[in-house]
Structures are given as C-alpha cells and as structure tokens.
Amino acid sequence: MLEPFFTPRGIAVIGASRDPYKPGYGVVRNLRDIGFQGGIYPVNPAAHEILGYRCYPSVLEVPDPVDLAVVIVAAERVIEVIKQCATRGIRHVVVSSGGFSEIGEEGRAREQILVETAKQLGMRIIGPNCIGTIDTHHPVNVTFTIGKPQPGPVGFVSQSGALCVALLMWAENGGIGFSRIASLGNQADVNETEMLAVLGDDPRTQVITAYVEGVADGRAFMEVAELISRKKPLIVLKGGRGSGGAKAVRSHTGALAGSLEAYQAAFRRCGVLQANTLLDLVEWAHTAALQPLPRGDRVAVLTNAGGAGVLAVDALETYGLKLAELSERTRATLRTVAPPPCTIENPVDVLAGSGPTVYGVALEALLADDGVDAAIVIVGPQDWFLPTSLAEVIGESFARHRKPVLASMMGLGADHPAEALLRRYHVPNFSFPDRAANALAALLKRRRWLETPVGASLELPNLAELQRATAKALQRKDLREVLTAWGIRFPHEGVVHSADEAVALATRIGYPVVLKAASEKITHKTEAGCVAVNLADEAAVRESFARIMAAAYARSSEAVREGVLVQPMLDGGYEVIVGVRRDPQFGPLVLVGSGGVDVELIRDVAIGVAPLSYAQAEELLDATTMGRRLRGWRGAPPGDRAAVLEAVVRLGQIAHHFPQIEELEINPLYVLPQGQGALALDVRGVLG
C-alpha cells in the first residue's frame, strides 16, 4: 500500500530547518505553498517554529494524524530516525538524505541495514537520495525543489531527482500539468514497477511517463507495464543506453541481443512507448493527454510556408507516416478558397497572406475527408492577422471532427495567448513541424499495439515428454538432439574422424557436400579456415578434411578430437539466423533475421522476449529485410516462412522451459522454397 506517499493526512518533516537554503526548509515551504490541508509537523529540537508551524523536538512527540515522514538528516542518523518513526506508528517514509549506495561500499552497507530495518518494522521507504513525491490534486509536495507544479493529467516516475526538477521547470514554462511525481533515488525499497502500478490505478493520471536506468525485476515490470498500457499511455525514457559493460558472448545472438536491445524488446512487447530524448517524453505525453489516437497513418498537412511543409513531409516519412490522398470533393472545396497559385494537393500550401478564413475552410475539408486520419497545421511567423484568431479556428475544427490535429504555429512563446487558447481546445502546439510528426507517430504506434492480436501460442500436448527428452540431451550437451526433439530438422549429415569416413559419408549423402569443424569451441569457423563448401568429388573431400583438421588443431587439440561435420551442399534457399539468449533482467530473448557468416556486419535482425506466439514471431520476422525477402523479392521464389516462424516459436519455448540454456543459436537455418520447410545447418550454444 503506497497511497500514503501521495495522500497523507499528516506529515512529519524530520530535519526541518530555518535556513531558506537548506532542503529541510524547502519541504516545509512547498507543503505550505501547494496548500496541503493536513498536519505539517517540522521536527527540529533547536527551533520553536518554521514558517509559522510549531516545531517538535522528536518525531515521537508529533501529534495525530501523521502517516508520512520525510527524513532529511545526516546518513548516520537515518536508521535511528526510521526506528523512531516505526515507534510513532508511521509506516511510510521518504528518505531524502544522501550518503548511501551512491557513495560506495560504506554507503551500500548502510543502505542494506536501512532496507533490513524497514522490512523488520513493516515500513515502506522511498529513496534514499531522492527528492520525494508530489500530488497536485490532493495536494501534497514533499520535495525541496523550487517551483509549484501545475495540476494536470501526466504522471512522472524518475530514478533521477535532477531530471524531476528540470522537467518541472520546463513543463511550467510550457503549460504542461502533472498529476503525480515520484523521485525514487536509490530504490532501496520501493521500486519503479511498484510506483508505476500506483500511477496506473490513479484516476487523475491519464498518461504515465518515466525515466529509468534499470528495472528491479524485468518480468514483473513487463507484467505491470502491459496492464497499464491497456488502460493509458506509458512513455519511458531509458538512461544508460550505451554498450559499455556488456558481458562476453560466444554466439552471434549474444553479440546482437545486448542490454539495450533487451529493454527495447521488452518495451515493445508490453506496449511501452520508448522515448529517445527528454523532449520526446514531454511532447508525447502532452499530445497523448490531449489528442485521440489516429485511425491510421494517412496525414494531411496544411501550411502557409512551403519549406515548413517540405520538412513536415520529410518527417512524416521518417517516422513511418504517409501523406493522405485527398478526395476530389476535398480538392474541389480547396479550390473555392485557395488563392492562386496555391497547391491543393497534399501538402496543402495556402501561401503567405492567407488568414483564418482560408485556414478554417481548408482544415474543415481535410478533416471531413474519410481518407485523412490526422492533420498537421503549420503557420509561419506573420503579422497580418492575430494568432489567436487562427488558434480558435484550429481548435473549433478539432472539436467538431475529433481526429488528431497537431499545430505548429512557429515562433510563439509558451506564454502567448494563442498557445494558451490551443491548449484549452486540447490541441498541442509544436515549435517546428517535424516535432509534430514525431508526436503523431507515437500516437499511431500506440494505436497499432492496442490493435495487434496476441495470437495463438504453441500447443504442447506432449510437454512432459519433451521436457524429459530435452533434459537428457542437455545432460549430454547435445544441442542437435535438443532441437531434433522439438521438431527442428537437420539435413542428412554426420560427424567423421578420418578422411575415409568423410568420403564414405559424402558418397551416401551425394555430392556436392560441405565440410566444417564440428567443435562448438570454434565460433567463427569460416574465418578460422574450418569450412569447405561445394566439394564435388572424393579428392576435394580428402584435401579439405586434412586442411580443416590442421586449422582446427591450430585452434584447439580438443577440437580435432570432436571431428568434422559432413553435410549436403544446398543452393538456392535463404540463410536465416534464429537464436535465443538469456538476459539477466528480462529472461530469454529470441532473435531472427538474415543469417550466414556476415550476420554481425549486416545486423538485419529483430529481437523479442520469449515465449512468443506465432503472431508475435511473425511481427519480429516482418521487421527485418529477410522477412520481406522470404515473401519473394523481385521475382525470387518465396521461402517457407511458416517453417521459420515454427523455429522461432520453438526456440523461445525451449529457452523458456530450460533456464540452464544461456545461448542457443541456429545459423544458418536454411530455408527451402515455400512448403518444403527449413534445415538447421549449424547450431551452437552456451549452457549454464
């Protein structure tokens, strides 16, 4: 139960100060300024009153009602104060004090004691090293920052207190209002997932935003995030997106599916809109709070500035939107008001000099067109009509049609009356048209996620039998046997240990054949000289066997003992990579895309969180160039997409049921023509 952090009846400020430049003063000031209606109890044994509020020498002497404490004392005293709060009956505490895990080993030890103490006493802690919480509707503000946030529909959860402050200052100038804000600091106890769930249940929070650097439990986060996303937009800015610190990996899948890719896959799976910048975060939230979702991707652009219209079109294409094709009826209406030589095709350029009347008729025609899903209205700086007149025209048109309308009245300040008028009509205004296109694309992404069916999952009536067979194969570290048990086909092949055996097997398989070192210890076999292809006769097989054995011996004497794999030479199919890797936060990840020796160079892959349904697997495949090639590209015969999807889903299930598999990869999965299936030509993995 975390609600008292936002709706307390009384608050003890432990470490309150008379010094206006100290945080203990700021908390009392902010509670007063926001108009908190409950009890405000500064705790300071050296003061009689602060800002007119009586001071108490100890939290033990604070009167009722009090159900929240804010602690701003030296780190060494925090544990003692926490115990006093418990004695007083306070079970919810914001620890703003620093000096914990953020400073190193000594601080980490102190933080561990804090967590253990709170758990023993049945308390919940936000922080330490945070600025606290705000609820503009209750209202309550236990932060010590300067400024008074405006009430509004946007919630914000942050692991950074400084970003909270910066966002508040920016939003105040931009007219954006917040419902609840929570700075979590070190997250010693209350974490981001728990706090997001609280905002998800808050009826006054219509859009949730968050800044996270990591999550405490990836699967729990995904479960909560998906529940939220079904009800309201959830927009997250992920900090720490670099590749530094990635662990060493032994497969292409491990190299391609890193930590950032895991977060991206998890966010896509549970409907989170991932912002790339802080500006994305606030603009998307503002737009989502004001505008309906578009029905589709067809956008009309109305402008009086040709260059700005071109930029809007470029941005729409960049973000996956497209220009709507206008009906003849719409173009006929535009001809009646557009002064020559106006452009009545999309984008509609009414030229400089056109005023609210022309804009109004044109926008009405565009929004009435069934082929238009949304409109971006661009107005270049001008001095021949009042911007408020046009803002009213735009707002009234939006109110009548309820299709998304985003404005870019360039050059307006945040405090301009036209900007305020647009906000009253629930129309967001953007400084530049490309930002409007960016925000509209976020709305469309949410619409598509909400409409995407989860689809059927893999039915496993023989799961118990599969698990027994897989467990036995894993004990022998036989990955081919694992995949065979799950219905993944291999070509007629075998491992040999002499040139005579290689020739005999090649004869049975039929020429031409491929030879490659069988050892999984050699990751990049082609680069190591351990692969020979298109061998057409006995002499080529003998020569290649000797060369591969020599190259393998140069890498590892054990690799020589593992022998050489002989396979048929296949031609005319598609080489796909399918793999899984276990992520420490989100569990098994599935990867699919263009395979072969250049997979890391091409990087044509998509990544999802296992297990996957067939629909989710198809969405991943379609996000790659290989997915499109398998449909038949420029006259080439289509590949067996169904076989690829089957392999993706089955690998995800294997990783889901067997956590000892850290990495497992088929590269290449050789995809035959449609209806003929696919063959696993090479498999490698890492077992824990």
Side-chain angles (χ1 to χ4, degrees):
M1 176 59 176
L2 303 181
E3 193 62 26
F5 284 114
F6 296 103
T7 57
R9 295 167 299 161
I11 302 172
V13 183
I14 306 169
S17 174
R18 289 173 293 186
D19 186 340
Y21 299 101
K22 289 189 175 181
Y25 179 92
V27 174
V28 179
R29 178 201 62 220
N30 287 349
L31 286 170
R32 178 199 65 184
D33 290 351
I34 203 170
F36 178 61
Q37 297 300 304
I40 301 174
Y41 309 118
V43 176
N44 183 335
H48 294 291
E49 62 87 23
I50 296 175
L51 293 172
Y53 298 100
R54 176 189 170 187
C55 284
Y56 297 86
S58 165
V59 69
L60 297 172
E61 300 182 36
V62 167
D64 286 326
V66 57
D67 44 12
L68 177 64
V70 181
V71 177
I72 321 173
V73 299
E76 296 80 7
R77 291 192 53 221
V78 169
I79 305 299
E80 168 198 349
V81 169
I82 292 295
K83 292 178 179 178
Q84 291 177 350
C85 288
T87 301
R88 179 60 187 81
I90 300 172
R91 293 290 180 265
H92 296 81
V93 180
V94 173
V95 179
S96 297
S97 308
F100 291 85
S101 61
E102 77 277 6
I103 68 168
E105 282 302 320
E106 179 184 354
R108 275 191 287 274
R110 183 180 294 122
E111 187 166 297
Q112 184 60 36
I113 295 172
L114 171 63
V115 172
E116 292 172 356
T117 302
K119 187 175 182 179
Q120 291 169 1
L121 298 172
M123 305 175 73
R124 300 309 308 269
I125 305 289
I126 287 182
N129 188 36
C130 70
I131 66 170
T133 57
I134 300 173
D135 186 314
T136 62
H137 298 285
H138 182 57
V140 63
N141 181 357
V142 301
T143 74
F144 47 81
T145 62
I146 297 174
K148 184 178 178 181
Q150 299 181 40
V154 179
F156 183 48
V157 176
S158 177
Q159 294 174 352
S160 165
L163 276 186
C164 282
V165 178
L167 188 63
L168 281 171
M169 295 177 68
W170 186 91
E172 187 174 5
N173 293 329
I176 297 175
F178 288 88
S179 54
R180 289 180 169 181
I181 296 172
S183 159
L184 302 181
N186 296 359
Q187 296 193 150
D189 178 28
V190 175
N191 62 42
E192 78 297 319
T193 302
E194 292 178 289
M195 191 55 70
L196 288 173
V198 173
L199 268 61
D201 291 335
D202 177 36
R204 290 193 175 95
T205 300
Q206 299 173 21
V207 180
I208 301 175
T209 58
Y211 169 78
V212 301
E213 293 167 1
V215 297
D217 181 326
R219 291 285 172 156
F221 171 87
M222 289 179 62
E223 182 178 348
V224 169
E226 182 166 1
L227 288 173
I228 291 172
S229 297
R230 295 291 174 191
K231 298 185 295 183
K232 59 187 75 173
L234 173 56
I235 306 167
V236 175
L237 175 62
K238 169 70 173 69
R241 290 179 288 178
S243 59
K247 69 169 186 176
V249 291
R250 289 171 51 190
S251 70
H252 298 293
T253 301
L256 294 169
S259 176
L260 173 60
E261 290 79 12
Y263 274 94
Q264 291 171 334
F267 289 165
R268 284 194 302 271
R269 177 70 167 267
C270 55
V272 170
L273 297 174
Q274 183 177 358
N276 294 312
T277 66
L278 197 57
L279 187 58
D280 284 347
L281 188 80
V282 293
E283 287 185 342
W284 294 2
H286 188 48
T287 305
L290 299 179
Q291 290 282 302
L293 298 178
R295 294 176 304 179
D297 58 1
R298 303 166 300 177
V299 184
V301 176
L302 176 60
T303 180
N304 66 353
V310 170
L311 290 177
V313 173
D314 288 344
L316 290 173
E317 183 176 339
T318 297
Y319 297 122
L321 300 159
K322 63 185 180 184
L323 287 176
E325 293 185 12
L326 304 182
S327 69
E328 179 54 40
R329 180 178 179 180
T330 299
R331 292 198 297 271
T333 302
L334 293 173
R335 289 189 190 99
T336 65
V337 295
C342 284
T343 302
I344 59 170
E345 298 296 334
N346 198 10
V348 179
D349 186 355
V350 295
L351 303 180
S354 293
T357 300
V358 173
Y359 264 101
V361 174
L363 184 56
E364 281 288 322
L366 293 173
L367 293 177
D369 192 323
D370 289 337
V372 173
D373 297 315
I376 295 177
V377 183
I378 305 169
V379 186
Q382 49 72 39
D383 59 0
W384 54 88
F385 63 82
L386 291 175
T388 51
S389 300
L390 182 53
E392 191 161 3
V393 166
I394 295 171
E396 288 178 349
S397 291
F398 166 65
R400 275 190 290 272
H401 293 275
R402 302 303 298 174
K403 290 182 180 180
V405 175
L406 284 68
S408 180
M409 297 184 69
M410 297 182 289
L412 296 186
D415 58 348
H416 194 284
E419 179 97 13
L421 185 58
L422 284 171
R423 284 198 297 272
R424 285 201 293 275
Y425 275 108
H426 287 193
V427 175
N429 188 55
F430 299 84
S431 299
F432 300 105
D434 57 318
R435 299 304 309 172
N438 176 271
L440 184 58
L443 294 187
L444 181 62
K445 185 176 182 180
R446 173 163 170 76
R447 161 72 79 180
R448 286 175 169 167
W449 180 81
L450 288 170
E451 292 179 344
T452 300
V454 175
S457 299
L458 178 64
E459 294 184 8
L460 295 170
N462 59 336
L463 178 59
E465 180 182 335
L466 276 174
Q467 288 178 318
R468 284 193 297 271
T470 305
K472 290 179 181 179
L474 288 175
Q475 286 178 348
R476 294 190 292 271
K477 299 185 178 180
D478 190 334
L479 298 179
R480 280 181 171 77
E481 187 177 336
V482 170
L483 295 177
T484 300
W486 284 79
I488 293 174
R489 295 166 52 201
F490 286 84
H492 180 36
E493 61 184 19
V495 175
V496 298
H497 295 84
S498 70
D500 288 342
E501 290 179 2
V503 169
L505 182 55
T507 301
R508 289 198 302 274
I509 292 173
Y511 291 101
V513 295
V514 174
L515 268 62
K516 64 180 70 172
S519 175
E520 291 184 23
K521 294 180 173 60
I522 304 174
T523 302
H524 300 285
K525 294 185 175 76
T526 301
E527 296 172 12
C530 293
V531 177
V533 300
N534 206 25
L535 305 177
D537 53 35
E538 176 181 336
V541 169
R542 290 185 180 279
E543 185 278 329
S544 296
F545 181 88
R547 177 169 50 80
I548 289 172
M549 291 293 278
Y553 184 80
R555 291 298 179 106
S556 166
S557 59
E558 186 178 343
V560 173
R561 291 195 295 273
E562 294 180 63
V564 172
L565 180 69
V566 183
Q567 295 177 318
M569 179 71 192
L570 299 171
D571 187 35
Y574 297 91
E575 290 191 343
V576 172
I577 183 173
V578 181
V580 290
R581 180 182 80 82
R582 193 162 302 279
D583 180 78
Q585 289 288 346
F586 298 103
L589 307 177
V590 183
L591 173 145
V592 64
S594 296
V597 296
D598 295 328
V599 61
E600 290 184 47
L601 177 64
I602 298 173
R603 299 186 74 87
D604 173 40
V605 296
I607 298 164
V609 180
L612 297 174
S613 68
Y614 288 98
Q616 291 163 339
E618 187 165 29
E619 185 179 4
L620 283 187
L621 184 59
D622 286 343
T624 68
T625 301
M626 177 54 70
R628 295 188 288 277
R629 290 183 63 201
L630 288 171
R631 294 186 184 277
W633 177 253
R634 292 190 173 180
D640 198 328
R641 283 171 52 93
V644 177
L645 298 178
E646 195 73 29
V648 172
V649 172
R650 289 182 180 271
L651 247 66
Q653 285 285 344
I654 293 170
H656 175 66
H657 289 290
F658 294 92
Q660 63 266 49
I661 297 176
E662 294 182 5
E663 296 177 28
L664 179 59
E665 173 184 289
I666 304 171
N667 184 35
L669 177 72
Y670 194 81
V671 184
L672 300 168
Q674 190 170 341
Q676 298 182 30
L679 300 171
L681 299 190
D682 196 9
V683 57
R684 66 181 63 141
V686 179
L687 303 179

